[in-house]
């Protein structure tokens, strides 16, 4: 299959790009992936609950519902959405070539690519983490919170940002108590979320604290977390039946490794004020190129930019 | 051909027991409404049911962990989604896997193909 433009991603950047491209009648093909980077189609918003700061939804909207609507809007204007993960991408010659997980032997081509692969949740690699991964340790509170091993049990969240605050508040529905470990002496979360977290009687925020070891019982399930106070060096063993990571994300750039210029943290570098990457015809939008804002609305904004820039690029090539 | 069998929604422990007594092989999908990966794999699971379910021999069922906690606890579900398989009400490993955890389409397809084959064989012999 050859396409004028292929969008790789499934979050707000990808779907905003697809909406603009399909309305411009460029017949975009969007690869939403199948659990690409371990995240459901829709991206990081599928791991959240209520989104309260996306304009146009004064009463808030569930992250999954927002993404369902964006997807429906892409489809409405003729975007071809493929539930498959792009696993190889060759940007060394034109047209660009790629193949997918479910049809690895078939090679497709595209004149332009919009990379909107986002970012995936980071792990801490604490001692005991591999052993108790999915047996108490989880990267998605919203996915796993309801399982019986967490009911009326003490749970821990590591992280100090908005997503940590949100996960902790979500877990109060199930836990006997939720503890939040924050490495610094201050929460990085927005004022609204920080206040909500600190005011909740079922949540204790431990500042200057990090997890140092995960321990479990004979049943193979996590039972304790060793917490270290980074100010005093003191370690304490806490009863803990669940541990949830909300410590940020790494950009999903494996596909373009060695092909696009990235910064020291691995984010794709775009020309300031544009979504142009180091390869002409490849545009990057959303969290894969943004370590500063990382909001649904900024992702959508750069997705729009990428679509308009791809459209212009294609028009100029046609004229030439 | 028998009519297409719908996915069975298990709402209680006793409903599960009656499913076990009426059906030789049962696949169970433990999920939650919140869970993105559960949602991703859901249409896939429905397709596998359409393809392989045989009345009395193989059923594909779902358990909402938020609503049917005791069943989830009984089978030690610790992450979602989790897929478990049963023969005559006893949990069995399929293709060497006691459980499939996460939205793993490949393993789930392989397990459903295997059970589908066994169910078809039994139906032909019956």
């Amino acid at each position: 299959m050859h396409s004028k433009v292929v969008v790789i991603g499934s979050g707000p950047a990808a779907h905003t790009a697809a909406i603009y491209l399909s309305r411009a009648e460029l017949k975009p093909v969007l690869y939403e992936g199948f659990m690409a980077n371990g995240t459901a189609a829709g991206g990081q918003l599928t791991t959240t609950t209520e989104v309260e700061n996306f304009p146009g939804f004064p009463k808030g909207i569930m992250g999954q519902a927002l993404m369902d609507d964006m997807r429906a809007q892409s489809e409405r204007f003729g975007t071809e959405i493929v539930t498959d993960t792009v696993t190889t991408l060759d940007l060394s010659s034109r047209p660009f070539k790629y193949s997918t997980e479910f049809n690895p032997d078939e090679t497709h081509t595209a004149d332009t690519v919009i990379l909107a692969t986002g970012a995936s949740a980071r792990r801490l690699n604490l001692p005991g983490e591999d052993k108790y991964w999915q047996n108490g340790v989880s990267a998605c509170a919203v996915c796993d919170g309801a399982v019986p091993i967490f009911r009326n049990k003490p749970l821990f969240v590591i992280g100090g940002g908005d997503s940590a605050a949100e996960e902790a508040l979500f877990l109060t529905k199930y836990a006997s108590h939720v503890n939040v470990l924050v490495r610094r002496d201050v929460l990085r979360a927005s004022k609204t979320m920080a206040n909500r977290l600190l005011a909740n009687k079922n949540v204790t925020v431990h500042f200057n604290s990090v997890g140092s070891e995960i321990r479990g019982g004979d049943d193979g399930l996590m039972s304790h977390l060793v917490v270290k106070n980074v100010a005093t060096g003191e370690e304490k063993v806490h009863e803990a039946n669940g541990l949830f990571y909300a410590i940020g994300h790494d950009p999903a750039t494996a596909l373009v490794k060695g092909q696009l210029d990235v910064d020291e943290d691995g984010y794709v570098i775009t020309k300031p004020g544009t979504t142009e990457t180091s390869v002409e015809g490849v545009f990057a939008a959303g969290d894969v190129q943004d370590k500063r804002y990382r909001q649904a609305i900024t992702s959508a904004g750069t997705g729009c930019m990428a679509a308009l820039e791809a459209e212009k690029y294609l028009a100029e090539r046609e004229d030439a | 051909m028998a009519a297409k069998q719908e996915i069975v929604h298990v709402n209680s422990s006793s409903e599960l027991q009656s499913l076990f007594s009426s059906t030789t092989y049962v696949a169970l999908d433990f999920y939650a409404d919140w869970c993105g990966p559960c949602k991703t794999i859901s249409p896939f699971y429905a397709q596998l049911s359409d393809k392989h379910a045989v009345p009395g021999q193989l059923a594909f069922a779902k358990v909402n962990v938020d609503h049917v906690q005791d069943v989830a606890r009984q089978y030690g579900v610790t992450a979602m989604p989790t897929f478990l398989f049963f023969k005559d009400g006893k949990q069995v490993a399929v293709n060497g896997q006691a459980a499939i955890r996460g939205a793993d389409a490949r393993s789930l397809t392989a397990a459903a193909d295997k059970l589908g084959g066994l169910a078809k064989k039994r139906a032909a012999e019956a």
Side-chain angles (χ1 to χ4, degrees), chain A residues 235-283:
Chain A
E235 283 197 327
K236 211 173 147 190
V237 181
H238 291 264
E239 232 180 90
N241 296 85
L243 175 62
F244 299 85
Y245 289 155
I247 45 169
H249 293 80
D250 291 316
T253 51
L255 265 185
V256 294
K257 205 166 180 210
Q259 304 192 79
L260 293 184
D261 290 348
V262 297
D263 72 6
E264 66 278 11
D265 296 316
Y267 288 83
V268 173
I269 296 173
T270 51
K271 196 174 144 198
T274 75
T275 63
E276 293 168 16
T277 68
S278 55
V279 173
E280 220 179 292
V282 179
F283 305 88

Side-chain angles (χ1 to χ4, degrees), chain B residues 31-108:
Chain B
Y31 75 102
D33 292 333
W34 297 100
C35 161
C38 304
K39 211 180 142 161
T40 300
I41 197 96
S42 181
F44 209 84
Y45 189 67
Q47 277 173 23
L48 292 173
S49 175
D50 282 349
K51 190 170 167 200
H52 292 300
V54 181
Q57 298 299 345
L58 172 58
F60 291 77
K62 294 177 82 115
V63 178
N64 186 322
V65 169
D66 252 321
H67 302 151
V68 199
Q69 274 185 64
D70 51 345
V71 174
R73 185 171 295 120
Q74 186 184 347
Y75 294 110
V77 173
T78 60
M80 284 194 279
T82 291
F83 299 90
L84 301 180
F85 309 98
F86 298 83
K87 188 192 177 198
D88 299 321
K90 282 205 192 74
Q91 198 186 329
V92 292
V94 178
N95 297 326
Q97 270 184 292
I100 295 171
R101 284 195 291 190
D104 179 351
R106 207 160 278 180
S107 300
L108 189 61

Side-chain angles (χ1 to χ4, degrees), chain A residues 91-110:
Chain A
L91 303 175
S92 64
S93 59
R94 280 156 216 277
F96 305 126
K97 293 186 209 49
Y98 65 95
S99 64
T100 64
E101 185 182 1
F102 295 150
N103 290 303
D105 300 330
E106 225 172 296
T107 301
H108 305 288
T109 53

Side-chain angles (χ1 to χ4, degrees), chain A:
Chain A
M1 178 175 65
H2 177 78
S3 318
K4 281 185 179 166
V5 52
V6 160
V7 181
I8 307 174
S10 64
H15 280 297
T16 304
I19 290 164
Y20 274 78
L21 292 165
S22 51
R23 287 173 56 82
E25 294 181 353
L26 288 168
K27 299 186 169 50
V29 178
L30 180 149
Y31 286 86
E32 65 176 359
F34 189 92
M35 294 303 295
N37 305 310
T39 307
Q44 291 170 57
L45 279 176
T46 66
T47 70
T48 66
T49 53
E50 196 116 39
V51 180
E52 294 180 326
N53 55 10
F54 202 89
F57 299 92
K59 295 184 182 112
I61 180 166
M62 298 304 287
Q64 180 78 60
L66 180 61
M67 290 325 302
D68 289 348
D69 283 350
M70 285 195 198
R71 189 183 191 279
Q73 199 169 349
S74 295
E75 253 182 338
R76 178 182 158 202
F77 296 109
T79 301
E80 185 187 338
I81 299 177
V82 184
T83 306
D84 196 351
T85 307
V86 175
T87 45
T88 68
L89 178 62
D90 179 359
L91 303 175
S92 64
S93 59
R94 280 156 216 277
F96 305 126
K97 293 186 209 49
Y98 65 95
S99 64
T100 64
E101 185 182 1
F102 295 150
N103 290 303
D105 300 330
E106 225 172 296
T107 301
H108 305 288
T109 53
D111 292 328
T112 59
V113 170
I114 293 179
L115 188 75
T117 46
S120 52
R122 202 175 283 163
R123 285 168 67 161
L124 272 175
N125 299 314
L126 296 180
E129 182 176 305
D130 281 336
K131 189 165 179 202
Y132 299 108
W133 186 255
Q134 293 201 324
N135 286 309
V137 188
S138 164
C140 179
V142 175
C143 306
D144 295 332
V147 300
I149 56 168
F150 301 138
R151 298 268 170 160
N152 303 311
K153 295 284 169 55
L155 305 179
F156 279 73
V157 174
I158 299 185
D162 272 341
S163 56
E166 199 197 328
E167 295 209 350
L169 291 166
F170 175 78
L171 288 169
T172 59
K173 291 186 4 167
Y174 302 107
S176 60
H177 197 80
V178 179
N179 297 279
V180 180
L181 304 185
V182 184
R183 176 182 277 278
R184 296 192 298 160
D185 57 359
V186 61
L187 285 165
R188 193 164 38 79
S190 63
K191 273 255 155 53
T192 310
M193 290 305 279
N195 290 341
R196 227 180 268 172
L197 189 70
L198 293 166
N200 193 303
K201 287 198 297 289
N202 295 319
V203 176
T204 305
V205 180
H206 305 260
F207 290 103
N208 301 311
S209 296
V210 297
S212 56
E213 191 191 340
I214 299 158
R215 294 180 185 170
D218 296 335
D219 55 2
L221 300 176
M222 174 184 179
S223 62
H224 291 84
L225 179 68
V226 184
V227 176
K228 184 178 178 182
N229 184 310
V230 289
T232 64
E234 186 196 352
E235 283 197 327
K236 211 173 147 190
V237 181
H238 291 264
E239 232 180 90
N241 296 85
L243 175 62
F244 299 85
Y245 289 155
I247 45 169
H249 293 80
D250 291 316
T253 51
L255 265 185
V256 294
K257 205 166 180 210
Q259 304 192 79
L260 293 184
D261 290 348
V262 297
D263 72 6
E264 66 278 11
D265 296 316
Y267 288 83
V268 173
I269 296 173
T270 51
K271 196 174 144 198
T274 75
T275 63
E276 293 168 16
T277 68
S278 55
V279 173
E280 220 179 292
V282 179
F283 305 88
D287 282 6
V288 74
Q289 53 85 53
D290 171 21
K291 62 177 169 189
R292 186 163 172 197
Y293 302 108
R294 294 181 292 207
Q295 301 300 302
I297 191 71
T298 49
S299 284
T302 52
C304 167
M305 288 163 62
L308 296 175
E309 286 166 16
E311 188 184 350
K312 182 163 173 276
Y313 172 84
L314 287 166
E316 282 169 359
R317 271 170 46 114
E318 238 163 58
D319 292 344

